[in-house]
Amino acid sequence: MTEAKPKVTVYDLTQQVPKDVTLSGLSAPKFDGVNYFRQPLGQSSSLRFKVPGSRFVQLEYQLYSPESAVSGQVQLDGQVIGQATFPAGKFVTNSIGGGFLDEGEHQFSINYSCVPACQQPPSQYWTKLTVIEDARVKAREDTGLGTERLWLNAPGSELRIQGAGPVTFDGVNYRRPIEASAFTLSWPAHKQALSAGFTLHSNQPFRVTARVGDTVLSRKRGDARTAVQPTLNLLEHPQAQSVTVQVECLTDGQPCASLYFPSVNVLSPTPVTQNLTLALPAALLLLLGAAGLLGFPSLRR
């Protein structure tokens, strides 16, 4: 059976705004001789839209100011999901960030600030809203034997992460930039975790160390051609509520990795789990074996 492909809808808001999207706080389109742009009319702008069901959405934009560095802080439904600073007088990479949403009305907003203060409003280029309908994305997945897999990159996920940036869609899969020297993946206290898995990619040599508390669960190295894909055995840590993963970039020391497919296998809340104490080792071996045979990347979360 062929896996359903995501349905991707892109709204280019630089010149036109469709009737089902409301853009406020930005000027009418202007032209610099090469590209169109809009300018903030105040300290913030907003983008309101509706989704008919569970969707992934992301906002893309680029800011430019000739004399001052300008920053944009992006919020999705009032929650900060990212911030980018664009240096004075330079056109740099677009900022992209998003999140998973349930059906209903939602809003992106951008708060602007300049250092030193802007003498004139900055210019905002390449403003795009992308909406993705993806049947592959689920917050939980039944894995049998009284267990289930929780996925981070899904609407309503029970997993949480610190130390990583906003999720984006790379055209195939969902990724998060690692923005700190370590990230922490956590799950609810009422869930007993059996294992955790993820994939890290980088364009340079890097080292990954995963821990529960002070206990090292895995140490691996990767590079531009070799991803790091540990599967962490948590059976000996039934009280654990998180794993901490240190990512060391060995060329320049700056954050360099991208995170794909973060998930945690847990006992499912069904009566059968009450009789699984003796079966847990076998269940974990099957889960680990399946992960090794299938490969977490093939799951494309």
Side-chain angles (χ1 to χ4, degrees):
M1 181 180 295
T2 303
E3 189 177 51
K5 293 183 178 180
K7 179 181 178 181
V8 181
T9 303
V10 179
Y11 300 93
D12 187 341
L13 307 174
T14 307
Q15 295 186 60
Q16 293 184 331
V17 180
K19 62 181 181 180
D20 53 346
V21 174
T22 301
L23 182 65
S24 60
L26 288 173
S27 70
K30 300 182 179 183
F31 189 62
D32 66 4
V34 179
N35 295 303
Y36 285 90
F37 65 96
R38 296 176 185 265
Q39 289 185 303
L41 300 177
Q43 298 300 311
S44 66
S45 65
S46 65
L47 176 63
R48 295 192 300 276
F49 57 94
K50 292 182 179 179
V51 293
S54 294
R55 298 290 189 271
F56 175 77
V57 299
Q58 68 182 22
L59 176 65
E60 178 176 357
Y61 71 100
Q62 180 191 86
L63 297 177
Y64 173 81
S65 178
E67 298 177 353
S68 304
V70 55
S71 295
Q73 182 196 71
V74 177
Q75 297 182 7
L76 177 55
D77 291 341
Q79 180 178 354
V80 176
I81 62 168
Q83 179 165 320
T85 298
F86 300 81
K90 293 182 179 180
F91 291 97
V92 296
T93 304
N94 295 358
S95 176
I96 306 175
F100 293 91
L101 302 177
D102 292 321
E103 178 182 355
E105 186 171 292
H106 301 277
Q107 177 175 294
F108 276 111
S109 61
I110 306 177
N111 297 319
Y112 306 100
S113 60
C114 291
V115 179
C118 288
Q119 299 303 310
Q120 60 183 17
S123 302
Q124 183 166 316
Y125 291 83
W126 314 114
T127 306
K128 292 180 182 179
L129 172 68
T130 301
V131 180
I132 301 172
E133 181 181 0
D134 194 345
R136 306 170 304 171
V137 174
K138 297 179 181 178
R140 56 172 56 185
E141 177 184 14
D142 182 12
T143 50
L145 295 171
T147 63
E148 59 185 355
R149 180 174 293 128
L150 305 181
W151 292 97
L152 174 67
N153 293 336
S157 175
E158 296 181 78
L159 302 182
R160 297 291 180 266
I161 192 166
Q162 293 182 328
V167 61
T168 60
F169 184 68
D170 67 6
V172 179
N173 295 308
Y174 301 94
R175 61 175 290 275
R176 295 173 186 262
I178 302 304
E179 296 184 335
S181 59
F183 68 88
T184 299
L185 181 66
S186 59
W187 51 91
H190 65 276
K191 298 285 189 180
Q192 182 177 341
L194 305 176
S195 64
F198 53 86
T199 298
L200 285 166
H201 289 274
S202 178
N203 59 2
Q204 64 177 265
F206 67 112
R207 181 168 51 233
V208 178
T209 305
R211 294 181 173 86
V212 167
D214 295 328
T215 302
V216 175
L217 300 181
S218 173
R219 278 198 178 99
K220 290 180 178 290
R221 292 175 65 106
D223 53 38
R225 293 188 296 179
T226 306
V228 170
Q229 300 174 265
T231 299
L232 310 178
N233 185 344
L234 298 170
L235 273 178
E236 296 181 359
H237 307 276
Q239 304 304 315
Q241 291 179 242
S242 65
V243 293
T244 298
V245 182
Q246 182 180 7
V247 183
E248 300 173 84
C249 300
L250 303 178
T251 298
D252 56 18
Q254 300 298 314
C256 67
S258 295
L259 174 67
Y260 291 80
F261 323 115
S263 67
V264 178
N265 292 305
V266 300
L267 290 179
S268 59
T270 61
V272 70
T273 60
Q274 298 175 4
N275 300 315
L276 277 179
T277 303
L278 297 178
L280 284 177
L284 181 61
L285 286 174
L286 287 174
L287 287 168
L288 299 182
L293 290 173
L294 297 176
F296 278 100
S298 68
L299 297 171
R300 294 187 176 178
R301 291 294 193 275

